[in-house]
């Protein structure tokens, strides 16, 4: 017994029957009206004796539909094979769609469900650092317990000294807004008389805060300090006296005081210029800028040659490092040291012909300026060593002992030790073993978009000759480490409401300052 046809199949059969009936009726009507194909008329008689060729009979072909169908393949419309095939294909499509929409209840391995990107590695991927070392505000990773458990007497004494630094109590940190916008650069004036902090922000403002003032003792009137009137008793509303100058039109990326004259401050900016702020003359003058004002060549750093204070070095975001003489700025030398952004560079304090650069291409490189090669105008210093990190290197800083500290986005602070650099011959190569870090510190450097990049900064001349550096902590602290990568202190305190990302030591005193993305200042003494 034949299976019962579906409603769709029955309708299709009826449509086919109606179409065939209509075609046959049209053919009959055309024949009766004389519209059908005509017989060919006989041609004129030929006088040739040749025998006439028999006319070729044209066979009328039935032109069927040109689409491929079961009927043309010899299958009847109600063939069991055709119906079964169609049903199977329809069922397969429906099943695939159902499976695609079905919820997955079991555990999923990310390496099995990765859609785009390179092969997924469970131990090496961009999520490991965030998940395992994400920011946890005010959660300490080093404190009194670790200090008490220190068995080395010298290390313990140093840890107690650095951990004993206290947060400045003249004003709460959230009251000391040293700059209007996010702080990008910060440092102390070299004076030992009192803490005098300078900070550069995103919009080119340079703020100055003098930390000998205290709430209730001074007020600010037109940027000038004055004694508090006795009849004013609302001390809670007082703000510290802060002076601010708009020296650049864009971010002040770095600044440094002249080692020969502490009243002179050199600043670099994303507006492509170097400027000299003379505190004695109360004047800011341009030292270097591209000759074409339409050129956009943002500067990421500036350093003064300690052996020749008239020589300035600067780095650009396009991978170039420049050298200019303040006595003749038109004689600027430009070296292309990287194809990608140079985030920071540093001169060796004792041997300033050595330069360390940190760039977006993941390399720390050491250069020797005593040996230049190449054509005039395109000369390059000798590359004497390089080390590659897993991700980009944000900054590199030399100390006077020949050590370089770097911070990189692989969530590490690396310390490189180069002994005896003062006796190295020009162009002397650093071996691969020498370029390996002497210490690697795990440190969360994932600042994101709204926090300034973390940089490890050495104290220039530590009073006890024990080298140390500070770096901001995403948990709203400032971390201090020695040259071996051992933690010395984790500075914090009440009232710190943002990450003190930009941290810096006083050159000689045990003072530490740090700035936040909201322009606020934290100070420990």
């Amino acid at each position: 017994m034949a299976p019962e046809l579906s409603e769709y199949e029955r309708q299709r059969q009826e449509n086919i029957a109606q179409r065939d009936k209509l075609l046959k009726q049209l053919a009959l009507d055309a024949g009766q009206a004389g519209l059908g194909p005509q017989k060919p008329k006989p041609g004129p008689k030929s006088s040739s004796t040749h025998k006439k060729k028999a006319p070729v009979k044209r066979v009328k072909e039935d032109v069927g539909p040109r689409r491929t169908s079961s009927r043309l393949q010899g299958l009847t419309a109600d063939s069991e094979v055709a119906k079964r095939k169609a049903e199977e294909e329809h069922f397969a499509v429906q099943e695939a769609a159902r499976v695609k929409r079905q919820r997955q209840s079991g555990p999923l391995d990310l390496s099995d469900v990765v859609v785009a990107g390179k092969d997924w590695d469970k131990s090496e991927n961009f999520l490991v650092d965030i998940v395992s070392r994400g920011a946890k505000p005010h959660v300490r990773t080093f404190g009194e317990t670790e200090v008490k458990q220190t068995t080395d007497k010298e290390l313990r004494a140093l840890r107690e000294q650095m951990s004993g630094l206290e947060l400045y109590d003249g004003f709460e940190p959230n009251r000391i807004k040293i700059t209007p916008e996010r702080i990008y650069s910060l440092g102390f004036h070299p004076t030992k008389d009192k803490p005098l902090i300078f900070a550069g922000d995103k919009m080119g403002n340079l703020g100055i805060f003098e930390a000998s003032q205290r709430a209730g003792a001074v007020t600010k009137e037109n940027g000038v300090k004055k004694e508090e009137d006795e009849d004013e008793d609302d001390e809670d509303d007082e703000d510290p006296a802060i002076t601010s100058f708009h020296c650049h039109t864009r971010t002040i990326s770095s600044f440094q005081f002249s080692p020969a004259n502490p009243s002179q401050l050199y600043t670099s900016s994303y507006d492509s210029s170097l400027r000299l702020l003379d505190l004695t003359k109360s004047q800011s003058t341009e030292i270097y800028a591209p000759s074409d004002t339409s050129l956009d060549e943002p500067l990421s750093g500036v350093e003064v040659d300690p052996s020749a204070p008239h020589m300035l070095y600067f780095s650009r975001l396009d991978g170039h490092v420049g050298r200019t003489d303040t006595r003749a700025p038109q004689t600027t030398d430009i070296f292309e040291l990287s194809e990608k952004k140079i985030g920071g560079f540093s001169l060796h304090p004792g041997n300033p012909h050595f330069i360390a650069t940190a760039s977006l291409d993941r390399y720390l490189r050491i250069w020797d300026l005593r040996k230049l090669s190449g054509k005039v105008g395109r000369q390059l210093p000798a590359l004497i060593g390089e080390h590659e990190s897993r991700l980009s290197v944000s900054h590199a800083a030399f100390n006077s002992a020949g050590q370089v500290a770097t911070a990189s986005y692989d969530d590490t602070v690396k310390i490189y030790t180069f002994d005896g650099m003062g006796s190295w011959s020009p162009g002397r190569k650093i071996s691969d073993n020498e370029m390996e870090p002497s210490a690697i510190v795990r440190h969360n450097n994932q600042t994101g978009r709204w926090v300034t990049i973390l940089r490890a900064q050495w104290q220039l001349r530590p009073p006890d000759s024990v080298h140390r550096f500070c770096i901001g902590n995403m948990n709203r602290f400032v971390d201090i480490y020695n040259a071996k990568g051992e933690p010395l202190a984790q500075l914090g305190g009440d009232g710190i409401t943002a990450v003190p990302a930009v941290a810096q030591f006083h050159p000689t005193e045990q003072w530490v300052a740090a700035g936040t993305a909201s322009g606020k200042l934290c100070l420990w003494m």
Side-chain angles (χ1 to χ4, degrees), residues 95-105:
E95 182 64 17
R98 186 188 66 82
V99 172
K100 187 176 180 179
R101 296 192 303 268
Q102 188 174 8
R103 174 173 53 86
Q104 298 290 336
S105 299

Side-chain angles (χ1 to χ4, degrees), residues 477-493:
F477 297 99
V478 170
D479 295 329
I480 300 178
Y481 296 90
N482 64 11
K484 297 180 181 180
E486 298 171 320
L488 300 181
Q490 195 165 77
L491 305 179

Side-chain angles (χ1 to χ4, degrees), residues 167-210:
L167 187 65
Y168 168 69
D169 59 358
F171 293 89
E172 292 184 0
N174 58 7
R175 298 273 299 281
I176 312 174
K177 191 171 178 60
I178 190 171
T179 60
E181 301 291 337
R182 185 207 299 192
I183 296 175
Y184 272 74
S185 53
L186 184 141
F188 284 89
H189 187 277
T191 181
K192 300 179 182 179
D193 298 335
K194 55 187 175 182
L196 188 60
I197 301 100
F198 289 67
D201 75 358
K202 181 179 180 180
M203 303 306 295
N205 300 298
L206 181 68
I208 306 173
F209 173 71
E210 188 261 296

Side-chain angles (χ1 to χ4, degrees), residues 395-464:
H395 183 65
F398 258 119
N399 67 12
S400 58
Q403 293 177 300
V404 177
T406 65
S408 55
Y409 273 97
D410 59 5
D411 279 351
T412 62
V413 174
K414 301 182 182 71
I415 301 172
Y416 303 80
T417 302
F418 307 111
D419 296 324
M421 295 187 77
S423 62
W424 288 5
S425 59
R428 185 258 198 198
K429 294 291 185 180
I430 305 176
S431 67
D432 291 340
N433 288 336
E434 291 176 308
M435 281 302 303
E436 288 296 318
S438 58
I440 299 178
V441 180
R442 300 298 298 177
H443 194 271
N444 179 15
N445 298 326
Q446 306 300 319
T447 55
R449 181 179 180 183
W450 306 111
V451 177
T452 306
I453 293 174
L454 304 182
R455 299 183 175 188
Q457 301 284 12
W458 296 96
Q459 186 172 21
L460 185 59
R461 293 182 296 275
D464 52 7

